[in-house]
Amino acid sequence: MYHTTTWLLWLLAALLPTMLTRNPLYLIILLLAVAVAYGTIGRSSPLATSWDLFLRVGLSLAAFSTLINPLTVHYGDTVLLTLPHLLVRVGGIPLELGGRITLEALMYGLVNGLSLMAVLLIFATFNVLVDHHQLLRSIPTFLHQTGVVLSISITFVPQMMASLREIREAQIIRGHRFRGIRDLPPLFMPLLTSGLEQAIQLAESMEARGFGGDISPSRRKQGLARKALIALSLFGLLSGMFWCGYLPTARWIGIALGASGFLLLTWTLRSLGRRVRRSRYRRELWRRRDTLVSAASLASLALFTLFRLLDGSALAFSPYPHLTPPAFNPLIGLASLAPVAPVLTAPPRGR
């Protein structure tokens, strides 16, 4: 439906607010926008069942953060209740539970839980909406082996969910009912077996296609030379950064070292990419709706970056020492709605 680059920009525009702000109002708007994008576009995807799993995990993390923070942090002016003190050791570190349970600590835990849940749901929605094959093709050519590993890891959760659903359906047909934890081993053992079988089949198919089979001496020497060039370029970049940071009197030397390392790294990676031959059966089309969604994502990224650089207090929120209502800026709230842009520009279902 959309270009892969459009979805990558959408992912960045959705993730940046979770990294820059802890304002619960902006996080709630972002969560609602992501949920609308999934409910409108993602429900028809064959990977839609994985979203429910991430939703349950996100809700569990949010509940755990909301409950554990007031038990361990006793700051704040608004005391809700006082519990008996309990001293426990976690890995040899003493941890005090109980004491003063404050509204500020409860709110802080809730905000952190919302942020964690937002990150999980953003990646879950991206996993449902993006075309994984096109995403793999968009990886730079010098990272082709890394791209294969990433494609396997991205499809792991959907494949596991599909296997889990098939196993549950087969066991329900045979009369098995899940009533508690004791009924889980008959479910996990077939799941583990099917996972091992899929891994063996994948390894055999990759070996049959000659993946990683070029180990000639000349190739080994070229690989070692390129690794040495990459290490040298990274050393130049780090040396330039260190020189500019700790020796400001001769900053031009640090800039020269950093620029040399960057140019050497670019040339080496480009030469690595030329060794890989990539063919395309059908190229992705960039449509007008891709332009609109990309523009909305870039505008959201620019707005959050500007507020972070010019007025960081507009994105900040802290309930300590006394809880006050979070500030709300309409521009930031509008920028948090950027993940809903694909819904507004999507073609009708019949087309």
Side-chain angles (χ1 to χ4, degrees), residues 27 111 114 141 145 180 193 213 258-259 273 279 291 332 338:
L27 292 176
V111 171
L114 282 175
T141 52
Q145 293 182 347
T193 304
S279 60
T291 304
I332 302 177

Side-chain angles (χ1 to χ4, degrees), residues 3-302:
H3 199 276
T4 306
T5 306
T6 304
W7 285 125
L8 290 174
L9 291 174
W10 179 91
L11 178 65
L12 292 176
L15 280 178
L16 187 65
T18 63
M19 305 300 174
L20 296 183
T21 183
R22 286 295 183 269
N23 192 311
L25 298 179
Y26 303 144
L27 292 176
I28 291 173
I29 293 174
L30 182 67
L31 281 170
L32 291 176
V34 172
V36 168
Y38 163 74
T40 308
I41 304 176
R43 282 190 177 276
S44 59
S45 173
L47 307 178
T49 54
S50 63
W51 198 87
D52 298 333
L53 174 64
F54 282 101
L55 177 61
R56 295 191 188 99
V57 174
L59 290 174
S60 301
L61 288 175
F64 178 78
S65 175
T66 305
L67 293 176
I68 198 65
N69 192 73
L71 291 175
T72 56
V73 179
H74 311 294
Y75 298 107
D77 297 336
T78 309
V79 180
L80 299 177
L81 69 157
T82 303
L83 297 178
H85 290 274
L86 178 63
L87 186 63
V88 297
R89 290 185 175 274
V90 181
I93 300 175
L95 184 64
E96 182 183 358
L97 300 178
R100 298 169 64 249
I101 305 299
T102 63
L103 179 62
E104 289 77 13
L106 188 68
M107 187 64 184
Y108 191 83
L110 177 62
V111 171
N112 286 337
L114 282 175
S115 180
L116 291 174
M117 186 169 66
V119 172
L120 284 175
L121 292 186
I122 287 168
F123 276 107
T125 307
F126 176 77
N127 185 42
V128 169
L129 296 177
V130 75
D131 188 347
H132 298 93
H133 300 286
Q134 296 295 342
L135 182 64
L136 176 62
R137 288 184 177 274
S138 64
I139 294 177
T141 52
F142 62 86
L143 293 175
H144 65 284
Q145 293 182 347
T146 307
V148 173
V149 176
L150 287 175
S151 65
I152 295 172
S153 62
I154 287 174
T155 57
F156 170 75
V157 173
Q159 290 178 356
M160 183 187 68
M161 294 299 298
S163 300
L164 180 63
R165 185 171 60 252
E166 293 174 358
I167 293 169
R168 288 195 62 180
E169 291 175 354
Q171 291 183 348
I172 290 173
I173 291 174
R174 292 180 174 87
H176 185 271
R177 296 293 183 269
F178 296 95
R179 295 177 296 270
I181 299 178
R182 295 181 179 180
D183 298 327
L184 291 179
L187 176 64
F188 285 131
M189 291 304 296
L191 185 63
L192 179 61
T193 304
S194 63
L196 291 175
E197 290 178 354
Q198 291 177 1
I200 293 173
Q201 292 175 1
L202 178 62
E204 290 177 349
S205 62
M206 293 175 68
E207 185 178 2
R209 289 169 174 80
F211 182 79
D214 189 5
I215 52 174
S216 60
S218 60
R219 293 289 186 183
R220 287 182 177 177
K221 292 180 180 179
Q222 292 178 3
L224 290 175
R226 290 189 175 92
K227 290 178 181 178
L229 289 176
I230 291 175
L232 182 61
S233 60
L234 292 177
F235 178 76
L237 279 172
L238 293 176
S239 301
M241 294 171 61
F242 179 83
W243 197 289
C244 292
Y246 293 94
L247 299 173
T249 54
R251 189 180 294 270
W252 63 273
I253 298 178
I255 295 175
L257 286 174
S260 302
F262 177 77
L263 292 175
L264 181 60
L265 181 64
T266 304
W267 178 82
T268 306
L269 295 180
R270 185 176 178 83
S271 64
L272 282 173
R274 289 178 178 175
R275 295 177 55 244
V276 180
R277 295 182 178 179
R278 175 181 290 181
S279 60
R280 292 183 181 272
Y281 176 72
R282 183 177 59 187
R283 293 184 178 274
E284 286 189 279
L285 296 178
W286 185 271
R287 300 177 176 87
R288 181 172 176 269
R289 56 176 178 266
D290 293 297
T291 304
L292 296 176
V293 175
S294 300
S297 301
L298 290 173
S300 176
L301 289 170

